[in-house]
Amino acid sequence: MSNSSQLPGFRNLSPSERIDVLSQHIDLDIEEVALLRDDGALSIEIADGMIENVLGKFELPLGLASNFMINGRDVLVPMVVEEPSVVAAASYMAKLARPGGGFLTSSSAPLMRAQIQIVGLGDPANARLSLLRNKHRLIDLANTKDQLLNKLGGGCRDLEVHTFMESPRGPMVVVHLVVDVRDAMGANTVNTMAETVAPLIEEVTGGTVRLRILSNLADLRLARAQVRIAPECFETSEFTGTDVIDRIIDAYTFAAIDPYRAATHNKGIMNGIDPLILATGNDWRAVEAGAHAYACRNGHYGSLTTWEKDREDHLVGTIEMPMPVGLVGGATKTHPLARLVLKILGVKSSQELAEIAVAVGLAQNLGALRALATEGIQRGHMALHARNIALSAGARGEEVDQLVRQMVMDHDVRSDRAEALLNELRK
Ligand code: COA
C-alpha cells in the first residue's frame, strides 16, 4: 500500500471510486468509509447538541488536495469549500513544490492569551507594579483550574500587564495571561482562567475587573512554512521559468505595499487555510480574525507571505501567522467527519495541524499569484466553475460534460449560455 500523496488520475474518478482509492491508501474501516459515502454523516441528534435552534444540516463539498509533502512526509489534505479551483490550485502548487522537497514547517508552543480588563483606577502605574509583584500568585491561581492541562504539560506560563494611561473612559490596565493550551484550541481553558483570577486582580489593584476573555490576536501561537521552487518548474510555452518567478515577485510586492491588494492576496491564502480549518471542525472565524490582525502588526495591513529569489534564482516563499487550532474539544470531537479528516491528515498534535494549515495557505497563495501574474485568473478558474454553471442551468449526467466542453472551448462561461446550450442539446 502506497502512502504517497500523489494521486495520479484521481481527478478523473467518480466520488465513489475516489473513496475506494483513499480507503486503500490510509486503511479506512467500514464505518469510516460509510461516513464518507453517507450523506448524513452528522446525525441530527449530534447537530442539535452542537448549536441552538437546529433545523437541519448544511452541506458543503469535501475535496482532497493531493501532492503535499510536508517535512518529508506525504500528506493528503481534506478541504471543505464551495469555491471551484481552490483544491485544484493547491494540488497543482504542491506538485510543483515536490521536486524541491515540498514544504518545511515549524511552530511556536501553543500559547494563547486571555485578557482581563481593569477599570476605575487612578493609579495605573502603581497597579501595574502590584500585578507584577503578585505574578506568581496569579499564575498559580490560574493553574488550579485545569489539572488535566497541567498533567499534559500545559498551563498558565506568564503574565503581562498592558497599561493604557489615557482612554475616553480614563486609565485602563489590561492583564494578559499567557497559557500553553497543548492540543486544545484553548478558548474555554483561557476564559476560565481569566474568570478565576479576576477577584485576586481586583484585590491586588483596587480596581474593577470588567471583560475576561481570550484574545484572537494569537501572536504567540505562530505556525510557519517555507517552500523553494526551481525556475524550470514554472516554464510554459509562453513564459520562461525565470520570467514567471519575476512576475510572481512583482505580484507579491504589490500586496506588500498596497492594502487594497493585500486584502485580496490574504483572502487567497485563507482560501487554502479555511477549508482545512472547517474540515477539522475548528473555529475558522478565530483563525481569520488572528490572520488579519497579525497582517497589521507593523502598523499597516500587509501580506502574510513573502516571495523572494534566492542565490540560485529559485523562488522561495514563506508564511508565518497565528494558527489557533485544536484536536480536542468542540466540533473537532463531536463531528464524525472531523475525526475522520484528522485521521486522513495523520496529525498527532495541534502544532502539526497548524503547520499543515499554513503550508496549504502558502501553496494556495502561490497558485493564485502564478495564475494572476501569467495567464490571468479566469481561464483556470472559469473552466472549473463551468461545472457549477452547467449544474445550475439544470444539466445532469453526460449533459454536464458536454456543456462544460462547449463553454470552455468558446471562452464563454455564463448561465444564459449554459441554458441555451442545454435547450439545444435536449432538442
Ligand atoms: N481536479 C483536481 N486537480 C486538478 C484539476 C482538477 N479538475 N485540474 C488541475 N488540477 C491540478 C492537478 O494537481 C494537476 O496535476 P495532475 O494532472 O498531475 O493531476 C495540476 O493541477 C495541473 O493540471 P492541469 O490540467 O495542467 O491544470 P491547468 O494548467 O489547467 O491549471 C488550475 C488549472 C485551476 C490548477 C490553474 O489554472 C490554477 O492554479 N488557477 C488558479 C486558481 C485559483 O487560484 N483559484 C482560487 C481563487 S479564484
Side-chain angles (χ1 to χ4, degrees), residues 7-12 18 64 66-67 83-95 267-268 271 363-372 375-384 387:
L7 302 172
F10 196 69
R11 59 196 276 187
N12 303 320
R18 289 182 190 135
L64 194 64
S66 57
N67 301 325
E83 187 173 2
S85 84
V86 165
V87 175
S91 304
Y92 191 8
M93 295 306 110
K95 179 177 162 178
K267 190 272 181 184
N271 271 345
Q364 200 74 50
N365 183 220
L366 180 59
L369 290 181
R370 190 206 59 93
L372 285 166
E375 62 182 3
I377 203 73
Q378 287 302 72
R379 202 253 334 144
H381 179 74
M382 288 315 275
L384 294 174
R387 292 191 71 78

